[in-house]
Amino acid sequence: MLTLYRTALKLRRTEAALHGDKFEWLSSAGEVLAFRRGDLLCVVNFGAEPVLLPEHRALLLASGPLSGPALLPTDTAVWLRVA
């Protein structure tokens, strides 16, 4: 958990998209929460089943191990760099 928070704080300091007022909630299916700030996308799966991750260029942070390269497990959040 400490590593997760340290990584998140480092990203917050270094990523320009995480500064300022630009913020957009995205529509998502089921029990998935998603928002975008610039080229960064946060996706959280609150559902009981893994969900497909959207297309992305890089995985910046994950709160737990992923269920394969394109699946977000339940109770897991990711920060992604998108196009």
Side-chain angles (χ1 to χ4, degrees):
M1 189 59 68
L2 179 60
T3 301
L4 173 71
Y5 278 96
R6 284 182 174 166
T7 304
L9 289 170
K10 181 179 177 184
L11 283 170
R12 192 173 101 189
R13 284 190 303 271
T14 60
E15 290 292 335
L18 296 176
H19 301 268
D21 298 332
K22 299 242 180 193
F23 178 90
E24 175 186 6
W25 286 109
L26 302 175
S27 62
S28 52
E31 297 174 319
V32 175
L33 176 76
F35 66 87
R36 185 175 180 151
R37 292 190 70 158
D39 68 343
L40 298 182
L41 177 65
C42 178
V43 182
V44 184
N45 181 7
F46 292 106
E49 298 295 325
V51 295
L52 286 174
L53 286 172
E55 281 191 41
H56 57 280
R57 293 189 339 224
L59 172 67
L60 301 177
L61 181 66
S63 65
L66 300 184
S67 300
L71 289 176
L72 181 62
T74 187
D75 299 327
T76 304
V78 291
W79 291 5
L80 306 170
R81 183 168 319 279
V82 295

